[in-house]
Amino acid sequence: MSISLNIQKYSHVQLAHQEHPRPYFKSMLWWAGAALMAVGETGNFAAYGFAPITLVAPLGCISVTGSAIISVMFLKENLRASDLLGMTLAFAGTYLLVNFAPNRSQSISARTVQYYFVGWQFLIYVILEILIFCTLLYFHKRKEMKHMVILLTLVALLASLTVISVKAVSGMITFSVTDKMQLTYPIFYIMFIIMIASCIFQVKFLNQATKLYGTTTVVPVNHIFFTTSAIIAGIIFYQEFLGAAFLTVFIYIFGCFLSFLGVLLVTRNREKEHLPQSYIDFGNIPGKQMLDKIQPDSNGLSYGTLPDGSDSTKSQSGEKKEV
């Protein structure tokens, strides 16, 4: 994922420096990045069929930190002290997540998904999620509240349904390949529809957030919200921490905290470094007379003064004539 994003970014940079830039979708390099992204998303989809959500979802921090490393190596971006600290924290958090995430190997069949789907834990969770979602949507649409937290919370609530449905669909496809056909059950198509619908509306709200706020602000907050929502969904729907020791859960939460902090440090103020330095065009100051020369000719009589015909210029020239 991080390689594909940086390839696409590099193609945009190349096109921007051309005298007659072409549309980005006509660049072979951009399509190569898009193809790599499709491969990465396919691997991410397949991972949910084999590993717990509580392990797969937090590993998104590797994509963010990996993107920063590739940007430094190939796009010649600056490597800051906060980047090194953030990468160290993210890798330390990832190590704890991998070692203390639940290791339950669970075969996801259609009957298993149906059992979890009608469980009281998930029904209570869905009712609460619908109430929160409708409340936030009311404030967003009716009251026109565009705060980033509202938009990204809507994304996170949809993301919890996405990861549940993605794991169900991926798990049932895997079970069909390795054991018995599961694609004839209605629950497979219900989960497939939930997966597509939730992804579409996630993209909609996420695009609104990126238009209103900077990418370096949206990306880390969205990663934290998405990961937290996905972990809660995995714990409630698939009961992934069932029977886990308290120390294991505590170290896992601490690993999540380290990875979140690392992502925040890596993405902090990254866009501001690429902004051009502010300057004043003296010829375009509102209410001021435009001047042909900022500094007069050193051999002229008005050297050291502004050539605006002021009294000071005239008095100096008069004194020189008298001398």
Side-chain angles (χ1 to χ4, degrees):
M1 283 291 292
S2 57
I3 295 175
S4 64
L5 289 173
N6 280 279
I7 288 176
Q8 289 182 320
K9 184 176 180 180
Y10 182 67
S11 70
H12 285 297
V13 171
Q14 280 193 328
L15 292 172
H17 285 84
Q18 292 180 359
E19 185 177 355
H20 301 288
R22 298 173 297 162
Y24 67 89
F25 53 82
K26 291 186 178 180
S27 170
M28 292 297 296
L29 194 61
W30 186 89
W31 281 108
L36 283 176
M37 183 178 290
V39 172
E41 290 295 341
T42 303
N44 194 31
F45 174 81
Y48 281 105
F50 297 96
I53 294 174
T54 48
L55 175 60
V56 177
L59 295 182
C61 67
I62 297 298
S63 178
V64 178
T65 54
S67 179
I69 295 172
I70 295 171
S71 297
V72 171
M73 293 176 62
F74 296 102
L75 298 181
K76 307 303 180 184
E77 294 187 1
N78 294 328
L79 181 64
R80 307 167 303 177
S82 61
D83 294 335
L84 293 174
L85 179 59
M87 292 173 193
T88 304
L89 292 176
F91 290 140
T94 302
Y95 175 80
L96 295 178
L97 289 171
V98 171
N99 283 278
F100 290 92
N103 294 321
R104 296 173 59 193
S105 58
Q106 191 177 23
S107 299
I108 305 297
S109 64
R111 293 188 180 277
T112 304
V113 176
Q114 288 175 352
Y115 172 77
Y116 289 140
F117 196 78
V118 297
W120 65 268
Q121 301 97 328
F122 180 66
L123 293 178
I124 293 174
Y125 175 73
V126 167
I127 291 171
L128 290 174
E129 186 168 282
I130 291 173
L131 289 175
I132 297 172
F133 186 86
C134 292
T135 303
L136 293 176
L137 195 62
Y138 170 78
F139 284 108
H140 175 61
K141 293 292 185 181
R142 296 292 184 182
K143 302 296 184 180
E144 296 184 353
M145 296 179 66
K146 308 291 184 181
H147 198 277
M148 183 181 64
V149 173
I150 292 178
L151 291 170
L152 294 184
T153 303
L154 291 171
V155 174
L157 293 173
L158 291 167
S160 65
L161 296 178
T162 302
V163 294
I164 288 172
S165 56
V166 165
K167 184 172 178 61
V169 171
S170 179
M172 283 187 278
I173 292 175
T174 304
F175 198 90
S176 299
V177 173
T178 57
D179 198 332
K180 184 181 177 182
M181 177 60 65
Q182 303 292 306
L183 308 187
T184 56
Y185 290 87
I187 190 65
F188 174 82
Y189 299 97
I190 292 172
M191 285 298 187
F192 184 80
I193 292 171
I194 292 173
M195 179 182 70
I196 298 299
S198 60
C199 283
I200 291 172
F201 285 103
Q202 265 191 91
V203 172
K204 176 185 175 182
F205 291 120
L206 191 57
N207 282 337
Q208 291 181 17
T210 52
K211 286 179 181 178
L212 295 172
Y213 303 95
T215 306
T216 54
T217 305
V218 172
V219 168
V221 176
N222 181 61
H223 170 72
I224 293 170
F225 282 23
F226 171 86
T227 305
T228 304
S229 179
I231 290 171
I232 294 172
I235 291 172
I236 292 176
F237 189 87
Y238 293 103
Q239 303 176 12
E240 292 181 350
F241 270 104
L242 187 65
F246 173 78
L247 183 61
T248 301
V249 176
F250 176 79
I251 297 177
Y252 175 85
I253 294 173
F254 183 67
C256 289
F257 172 75
L258 289 180
S259 64
F260 292 163
L261 185 59
V263 169
L264 287 172
L265 289 174
V266 168
T267 57
R268 183 175 63 92
N269 297 331
R270 182 164 288 275
E271 278 186 353
K272 294 181 180 179
E273 295 184 353
H274 302 285
L275 295 176
Q277 293 183 353
S278 59
Y279 65 93
I280 298 175
D281 186 358
F282 287 93
N284 292 311
I285 300 177
K288 297 292 183 181
Q289 182 183 0
M290 293 184 66
L291 304 175
D292 294 333
K293 294 182 179 179
I294 297 300
Q295 179 62 55
D297 186 6
S298 60
N299 296 321
L301 297 177
S302 59
Y303 178 70
T305 62
L306 292 175
D308 58 353
S310 61
D311 294 337
S312 60
T313 306
K314 291 179 180 178
S315 61
Q316 287 184 6
S317 60
E319 290 174 1
K320 288 195 175 184
K321 285 181 180 180
E322 290 177 2
V323 173

